[in-house]
């Protein structure tokens, strides 16, 4: 298989990058010349520090003038604009030129600016008629192409019984490999599905159906046979083959053992993956999402190449042909950190206005629903099981040290309290080894923490990348698996993390895990309401009401804090002069009602000042 460095698309992309770099280099040379001449003639350069300070001040003046001067393409007026910018939390109007915001303020300030050549014959005006506007949402943890693929597969999110499960599969047996997922056994009493449920209706079709959390899957007997799986196999490190009381494999595989099946599934074609990107991107725009952190199709037991193939075959292609509809920040498997280091060295972190190279991702444990999240104490309903350590901690430490030394951001999946403790300790060790810098280490999920652990996130400046909607399907399950005290005191402690000074970055984890009674997609407004209310279906009161968040913080977790969490805060995350004009018009015209109920829907989504939805 050719690597990305040898693909024709990547070569074209590098050519595009060189052209952009030449343009930027020429511009910087001119600026340096202009800045240096007056300084030199005044003999003010006594040393290097004086020069850099003077040049910095010049750039500030230059940027200020370029932001404030010129004709606007679009002036937005008469709204309630939540900016996510603490220097001006609310505004009524803004002006946009060439895809970026050039002025924010009340109506009179923008009207005044129109007398300074801000408005011209081609300037459009958007009268919000009092509606709320917020920055474009940033989904901090999504599997974007997987989500687009899942939209065309067997959906099991709404299944609540064995018969319904079987009927769904029966509807799709005309295909060769039958792929799907989203099932949650907790919704039909907890009984785990078995291959015997579906063998009779799929005698000629290998089947693979992943659980809602992505850390367990069901294979039928034909798929197990094709994979060479037998009841006599030992469980590999970081995984498990679920067996019945007779020791026979039931068809369920957990974490690293899933590779036995996934390695046999034919790779999805390039065209299908490109269609999946378009499908998923359009869905994101419908939900007001303008930027995502895509952690790829990589899971324990899957190939580390899929993220790189999607980068070269799908994302790079879409950008070259003008089909990138949203902005993406890409994370790659930590095992491939050296490849990302080399790519960022050659191309830089920003390949275009739509594609950013983020960092690397790894896994420390599994999930609560699959009983593979790693805890200090055993599961209440499985006294001999404390979860799985899906990666060798020493190997993970070595890769993290190397990736961090190369200047890459590191994000590690940790759900159980022991997994979170291990990663916090490891991050502290890496900092001690490599020295201090602005690295913004991330822990993905951070779902269950022991008392006092929240403060460590702040002390170590760790980004807590969390998914509020996970708590909806975890509420009953957590009590069953952890007991009331552990589930109540240490689960989804968002407000405790905030109180400690930790920055939260909200995301969906789509399509891995979405509550079955909601639309199975990216849904920031629904997630914010969950964080504010914390009331699972069937409950009459909040799960740990002391952890409820207010609207302002929930919005920031989906905007400016999310941008900070992936080093994109200079371009997106707030409605501020100089930033990309990504914003969302909401249905509500009342901040007070929005704050109280958290209810609204997306009326329009703008990317770079251009309407992208509807």
């Amino acid at each position: 298989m050719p690597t990305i460095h040898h693909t024709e698309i990547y070569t074209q992309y590098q050519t595009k990058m060189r052209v952009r770099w030449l343009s930027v280099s020429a511009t910087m040379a001119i600026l340096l010349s202009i800045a240096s001449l007056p300084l030199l003639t005044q003999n003010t350069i006594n040393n290097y520090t004086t020069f850099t300070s003077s040049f910095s001040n010049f750039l500030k003046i230059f940027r200020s003038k370029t932001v404030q001067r010129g004709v606007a393409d679009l002036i937005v007026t008469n709204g309630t604009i939540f900016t996510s910018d603490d220097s001006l939390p609310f505004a009524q109007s803004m002006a946009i030129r060439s895809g970026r915001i050039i002025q924010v303020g009340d109506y009179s300030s923008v009207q005044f600016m129109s007398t300074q050549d801000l408005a011209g014959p081609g300037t459009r005006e958007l009268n919000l008629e009092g509606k709320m506007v917020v920055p474009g949402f940033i989904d901090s943890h999504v599997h974007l192409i997987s989500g687009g693929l899942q939209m065309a597969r067997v959906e099991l999110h709404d299944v609540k019984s064995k018969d319904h499960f079987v009927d769904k599969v029966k509807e799709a047996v005309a295909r060769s490999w039958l792929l799907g997922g989203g099932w949650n056994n907790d919704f039909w009493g907890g009984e785990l599905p078995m291959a015997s449920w579906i063998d009779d209706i799929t005698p000629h079709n290998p089947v693979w159906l992943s659980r809602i959390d992505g850390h367990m899957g069901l294979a039928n007997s034909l798929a197990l046979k094709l994979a060479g799986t037998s009841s006599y196999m030992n469980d590999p490190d970081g995984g498990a083959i679920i067996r019945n009381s007779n020791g026979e494999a039931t068809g369920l595989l957990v974490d690293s053992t899933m590779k036995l099946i996934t390695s046999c599934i034919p790779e999805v074609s390039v065209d299908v993956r490109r269609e999946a990107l378009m499908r998923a991107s359009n869905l994101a725009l419908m939900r007001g999402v303008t930027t995502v952190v895509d952690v790829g199709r990589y899971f324990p037991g899957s190939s580390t190449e899929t993220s790189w193939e999607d980068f070269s075959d799908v994302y790079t292609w879409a950008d070259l042909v003008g089909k990138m509809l949203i902005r993406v920040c890409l994370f790659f498997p930590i095992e491939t950190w050296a490849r990302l280091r080399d790519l960022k060295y050659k191309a830089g972190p920003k390949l275009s206005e739509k594609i950013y190279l983020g960092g690397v991702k790894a896994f420390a444990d599994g999930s609560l629903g699959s009983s593979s999240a790693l805890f200090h104490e055993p599961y209440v309903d499985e006294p001999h099981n404390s979860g799985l350590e899906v990666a060798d901690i020493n190997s993970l430490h070595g890769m993290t040290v190397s990736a961090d030394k190369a200047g890459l951001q590191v994000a590690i999946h940790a759900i159980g309290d022991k997994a979170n403790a291990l990663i916090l300790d490891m991050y502290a060790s890496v900092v001690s080894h490599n020295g201090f810098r602005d690295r913004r280490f991330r822990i993905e999920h951070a779902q269950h923490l022991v008392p006092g652990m929240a403060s460590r996130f702040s002390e170590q400046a760790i980004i807590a990348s969390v998914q509020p909607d996970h708590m909806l399907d975890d509420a009953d399950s957590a009590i069953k698996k952890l007991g009331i005290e552990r589930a109540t005191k240490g689960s989804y402690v968002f407000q405790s993390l905030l109180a400690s000074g930790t920055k939260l970055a909200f995301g969906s984890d789509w399509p891995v895990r979405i509550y079955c009674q909601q639309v199975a997609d990216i849904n920031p407004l629904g997630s914010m309401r969950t964080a504010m209310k914390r009331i699972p279906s069937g409950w009459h009161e909040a799960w740990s009401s002391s952890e409820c968040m207010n609207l302002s913080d929930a919005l920031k977790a989906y905007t400016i804090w999310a941008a900070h969490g992936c080093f994109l805060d200079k371009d997106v995350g707030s409605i501020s002069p100089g930033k990309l004009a990504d914003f969302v018009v909401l249905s509500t015209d009342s901040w007070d009602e929005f704050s109280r109920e958290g209810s609204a829907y997306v009326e329009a989504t703008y990317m770079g000042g251009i309407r992208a939805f509807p």
Side-chain angles (χ1 to χ4, degrees):
M1 180 184 300
T3 67
I4 59 168
H5 303 295
H6 299 118
T7 64
E8 181 180 355
I9 286 179
Y10 187 66
T11 301
Q12 295 173 9
Y13 205 82
Q14 285 186 312
T15 301
K16 180 180 176 182
M17 291 292 302
R18 292 189 189 102
V19 171
R20 184 185 298 116
W21 173 244
L22 287 172
S23 175
V24 171
S25 299
T27 302
M28 287 305 299
I30 293 169
L31 293 180
L32 283 167
S33 300
I34 296 171
S36 301
L37 284 173
L39 296 174
L40 287 168
T41 56
Q42 296 169 30
N43 296 316
T44 57
I45 305 178
N46 298 321
N47 53 49
Y48 178 75
T49 304
T50 303
F51 172 75
T52 54
S53 176
S54 300
F55 184 56
S56 176
N57 290 334
F58 166 80
L59 285 180
K60 289 179 181 178
I61 296 170
F62 180 82
R63 289 192 188 109
S64 175
K65 289 180 179 179
T66 57
V67 166
Q68 294 181 6
R69 294 178 61 185
V71 175
D73 302 318
L74 176 67
I75 295 179
V76 181
T77 62
N78 193 28
T80 301
I81 301 175
F82 179 82
T83 66
S84 284
D85 184 338
D86 289 340
S87 67
L88 182 68
F90 288 92
Q92 295 179 24
S93 52
M94 62 176 159
I96 297 161
R97 185 180 70 250
S98 300
R100 291 188 180 263
I101 299 164
I102 58 174
Q103 179 76 4
V104 181
D106 57 26
Y107 179 80
S108 59
S109 70
V110 173
Q111 190 178 41
F112 170 77
M113 287 301 295
S114 68
T115 66
Q116 306 298 315
D117 298 325
L118 184 63
T123 300
R124 294 171 291 115
E125 182 178 355
L126 172 63
N127 187 339
L128 296 170
E129 299 179 344
K131 294 291 176 65
M132 283 283 308
V133 163
V134 296
F137 296 126
I138 300 169
D139 193 314
S140 294
H141 186 115
V142 68
H143 308 267
L144 193 64
I145 293 176
S146 295
L149 292 171
Q150 186 65 39
M151 291 171 71
R153 290 176 176 172
V154 183
E155 283 287 356
L156 301 174
H157 287 87
D158 59 343
V159 169
K160 293 187 178 180
S161 70
K162 173 184 175 181
D163 289 342
H164 195 189
F165 189 102
V166 173
D167 287 343
K168 280 276 195 175
V169 174
K170 191 181 297 185
E171 292 173 2
V173 293
R175 307 171 191 176
S176 178
W177 267 89
L178 195 157
L179 306 175
W183 57 268
N184 187 345
N185 52 298
D186 290 329
F187 293 134
W188 60 74
E191 180 186 8
L192 288 167
M194 297 182 288
S196 59
W197 285 18
I198 57 177
D199 279 344
D200 288 345
I201 59 172
T202 58
H204 308 297
N205 302 84
V207 178
W208 177 246
L209 305 169
S210 58
R211 193 180 185 278
I212 197 170
D213 53 20
H215 289 268
M216 176 188 282
L218 175 69
N220 69 347
S221 294
L222 180 57
L224 293 174
K225 182 179 179 180
L226 291 173
T229 305
S230 74
S231 300
Y232 304 104
M233 296 178 65
N234 294 324
D235 290 348
D237 292 338
I241 299 172
I242 305 300
R243 296 171 168 84
N244 61 22
S245 58
N246 297 321
E248 299 169 335
T250 66
L252 289 167
L253 305 176
V254 181
D255 285 314
S256 65
T257 53
M258 296 190 296
K259 186 175 184 179
L260 296 171
I261 299 296
T262 58
S263 62
C264 297
I265 298 172
E267 179 55 59
V268 183
S269 72
V270 172
D271 287 341
V272 170
R273 285 184 282 136
R274 289 173 178 175
E275 291 170 3
L277 174 62
M278 298 298 104
R279 193 182 300 124
S281 299
N282 278 306
L283 187 57
L285 291 170
M286 288 174 61
R287 302 291 180 245
V289 174
T290 54
T291 301
V292 302
V293 176
D294 185 2
V295 293
R297 293 189 291 141
Y298 172 66
F299 290 94
S302 65
S303 170
T304 59
E305 289 300 310
T306 55
S307 295
W308 288 99
E309 290 165 359
D310 288 342
F311 166 66
S312 61
D313 297 338
V314 181
Y315 285 118
T316 305
W317 164 83
D319 200 36
L320 282 170
V321 300
K323 290 191 175 183
M324 277 300 299
L325 304 181
I326 62 175
R327 307 186 203 284
V328 296
C329 180
L330 302 174
F331 274 65
F332 299 85
I334 196 168
E335 293 87 346
T336 65
W337 68 266
R339 198 189 306 188
L340 180 59
R341 174 202 61 195
D342 294 345
L343 179 59
K344 292 187 79 169
Y345 177 78
K346 293 176 181 177
K350 182 177 179 180
L351 302 187
S352 72
E353 293 288 356
K354 298 290 181 63
I355 299 180
Y356 298 80
L357 298 176
V360 291
K361 189 202 172 189
F363 291 83
D365 66 346
S367 72
L368 180 73
S370 298
S371 300
S372 56
L374 186 63
F375 287 92
H376 289 289
E377 299 177 32
Y379 288 87
V380 170
D381 59 341
E382 298 180 52
H384 301 293
N385 177 29
S386 297
L388 291 174
E389 190 175 308
V390 301
D392 177 75
I393 194 66
N394 292 323
S395 174
L396 182 57
H397 180 274
M399 289 187 289
T400 303
V401 168
S402 298
D404 178 70
K405 187 177 292 185
L408 302 177
Q409 188 179 18
V410 179
I412 299 180
H413 164 120
I415 288 182
D417 54 26
K418 185 175 180 180
N420 277 277
L422 285 171
I423 299 309
L424 286 169
D425 289 344
M426 189 188 74
Y427 278 160
S429 173
V430 173
V431 172
S432 176
H433 188 279
N434 288 344
F436 290 94
R437 66 177 178 84
D438 182 14
R439 48 177 43 91
R440 303 183 199 180
F441 278 149
R442 296 165 58 115
I443 289 184
E444 306 299 309
H445 311 305
Q447 286 180 7
H448 306 282
L449 309 177
V450 296
M453 190 181 290
S455 61
R456 290 193 60 188
F457 279 75
S458 176
E459 292 166 3
Q460 296 179 222
I462 307 297
I463 305 297
S465 171
V466 297
Q467 300 74 40
D469 279 344
H470 281 14
M471 77 172 74
L472 295 175
D473 42 76
D474 264 356
D476 295 323
S477 182
I479 292 172
K480 172 186 172 183
K481 292 175 177 290
L482 305 179
I484 294 177
E485 184 175 359
R486 285 166 65 189
T488 302
K489 291 184 177 180
S491 301
Y492 298 94
V493 290
F494 298 157
Q495 191 58 41
S496 295
L497 285 164
L498 282 177
S500 75
T502 302
K503 279 190 168 61
L504 300 184
F506 276 179
S508 67
D509 205 5
W510 180 63
V512 169
R513 188 173 186 166
I514 298 291
Y515 183 50
C516 74
Q517 292 185 3
Q518 294 185 6
V519 178
D521 60 30
I522 301 170
N523 188 9
L525 290 171
S527 294
M528 288 189 290
R529 180 178 170 80
T530 298
M532 293 165 63
K533 301 295 185 180
R534 296 178 66 99
I535 302 178
S537 179
W539 289 43
H540 301 293
E541 56 186 24
W543 179 17
S544 303
S545 60
S546 62
E547 297 295 341
C548 290
M549 292 173 59
N550 62 47
L551 175 61
S552 179
D553 286 341
L555 280 167
K556 288 180 180 178
Y558 254 120
T559 55
I560 189 61
W561 295 343
H564 173 85
C566 57
F567 286 96
L568 299 190
D569 42 334
K570 291 184 179 180
D571 272 348
V572 295
S574 66
I575 295 176
S576 308
K579 290 195 177 183
L580 292 164
D582 298 349
F583 62 94
V584 182
V585 182
L586 301 180
S587 58
T588 182
D589 59 4
S590 170
W591 173 261
D592 291 339
E593 182 180 343
F594 192 23
S595 298
R596 186 170 57 253
E597 300 299 328
S599 296
Y601 62 86
V602 173
E603 286 200 347
T605 305
Y606 285 76
M607 286 279 298
I610 298 174
R611 189 165 177 146
F613 168 82

